[in-house]
Amino acid sequence: MELIHSGKVRDVYADGDELILVASDRVSVYDVVLPTEIPDKGKILTQLSLWWFEQLADVIPNHVVSATDVPDEWAGRAIRCRRLTMLPVEWIARGHLTGLGLKEYEKNGTVSGIALPEGLVDASRLPEPIFTPTTKATEGHDEFITYADVVREIGEDTAARLKDVTLEIYRRGAALAAERGIIIADTKLEFGRAADGTLVLGDEVLTPDSSRFWPADEWEPGRPQHSLDKQFVRDWSSTLDWDRTPPGPAIPQDVVDATRARYTEVYERLTGTPWTS
């Protein structure tokens, strides 16, 4: 096998006509990989994604070939996948207003060109889920774009299809999570085309690295929420005298433990299965 890409969290290996996607225990904030790993993080992301891929199999095909036909040293954290030509868009759905979406709203009253009601605050529930795509930056930060921008980039038919799929995945995921006492505030998806032109869901889906999860019984608009996702590490890093450029700060053990506990809690509450590493 040949390492063809090493990302902030995942490493991608070529194995003949297929890929091996390996989720590490690395954690990144503000596009900087921190020097401290979170134990079991890669396995939790992989196993939760596999669970969601099964729940959403009727919505759109996914890239999974096998969760078991992988090298032993990566068991539990690797997926054998189809090769895809990834689309140059981050496909984001929001049901609540927070993070960069909130900052955009506070400046313009819109997110990705969508006008929102006046008076919304941090964590406000939106009248309905919205599609707020961004660029997929290879360097620097992603930036909001409009649906019209997506149409110009990839064509109207593909844009319309994947906008609908993004919102359907979010709605399905949010409804299932709500039954388990969790709010999914927003989520980011990635899609590509298989060799035969089929549109395929790739990367990860509805994980604590790609989504914001909040305990429903603690939700209170107008303040930061108790996060069950990577936001906890971002919040910790924002208390430091750090300019958000490499090298990142080492994570203290108590923050490591609390982060792992959040990832584990999300997995167990959503799947109904105890986490065993």
Side-chain angles (χ1 to χ4, degrees):
M1 288 185 293
E2 175 190 359
L3 176 64
I4 60 174
H5 177 71
S6 184
K8 292 188 287 289
V9 174
R10 287 172 175 77
D11 298 322
V12 184
Y13 293 81
D15 187 16
D17 293 333
E18 297 170 339
L19 301 176
I20 306 293
L21 188 66
V22 185
S24 73
D25 291 338
R26 299 189 295 268
V27 61
S28 69
V29 294
Y30 306 113
D31 295 318
V32 176
V33 177
L34 303 186
T36 313
E37 295 188 339
I38 307 298
D40 285 341
K41 175 175 177 283
K43 290 184 177 181
I44 293 170
L45 295 179
T46 299
Q47 297 307 311
L48 185 56
S49 286
L50 288 167
W51 184 82
W52 278 117
F53 283 134
E54 288 187 7
Q55 312 307 309
L56 301 166
D58 62 318
V59 178
I60 188 170
N62 61 66
H63 67 165
V64 177
V65 173
S66 173
T68 56
D69 183 16
V70 298
D72 290 343
E73 65 265 32
W74 297 329
R77 66 172 66 246
I79 303 174
R80 181 175 293 275
C81 306
R82 288 191 274 175
R83 285 180 181 260
L84 304 177
T85 301
M86 302 307 292
L87 296 174
V89 176
E90 298 281 10
W91 303 81
I92 299 172
R94 300 176 187 273
H96 290 254
L97 187 63
T98 193
L100 294 178
L102 174 64
K103 292 181 180 179
E104 184 76 6
Y105 167 79
E106 289 175 339
K107 285 194 303 183
N108 305 316
T110 65
V111 183
S112 289
I114 300 172
L116 297 176
E118 294 182 0
L120 299 180
V121 296
D122 193 359
S124 287
R125 180 182 286 123
L126 300 175
E128 61 181 4
I130 58 174
F131 173 60
T132 59
T134 69
T135 59
K136 188 189 292 187
T138 55
E139 294 184 3
H141 301 289
D142 298 336
E143 297 182 358
F144 284 110
I145 54 177
T146 66
Y147 175 66
D149 294 327
V150 178
V151 170
R152 282 191 290 271
E153 184 75 29
I154 63 173
E156 186 169 1
D157 290 347
T158 301
R161 165 68 174 148
L162 293 182
K163 174 186 175 182
D164 289 347
V165 167
T166 298
L167 291 170
E168 177 63 13
I169 287 173
Y170 174 78
R171 291 189 185 100
R172 292 266 293 267
L176 190 152
E179 296 173 358
R180 292 152 170 81
I182 291 177
I183 291 171
I184 302 180
D186 54 38
T187 197
K188 176 179 70 175
L189 304 170
E190 295 202 31
F191 299 97
R193 285 192 183 277
D196 63 0
T198 303
L199 291 169
V200 177
L201 174 62
D203 197 48
E204 61 184 324
V205 59
L206 294 168
T207 74
D209 268 20
S210 65
S211 314
R212 284 186 174 88
F213 295 102
W214 303 331
D217 59 358
E218 299 181 35
W219 172 58
E220 183 182 338
R223 62 165 178 82
Q225 305 301 300
H226 177 80
S227 63
L228 297 173
D229 54 69
K230 194 172 73 170
Q231 185 63 40
F232 178 72
V233 183
R234 290 193 197 97
D235 292 343
W236 161 78
S237 70
S238 69
T239 68
L240 307 177
D241 183 17
W242 174 49
D243 62 2
R244 300 181 182 180
T245 62
I251 309 174
Q253 190 62 46
D254 62 328
V255 176
V256 170
D257 293 342
T259 303
R260 183 185 182 279
R262 282 163 166 77
Y263 278 63
T264 301
E265 180 179 348
V266 163
Y267 175 87
E268 293 182 340
R269 291 178 67 171
L270 288 175
T271 67
T273 304
W275 172 253
T276 55
S277 59

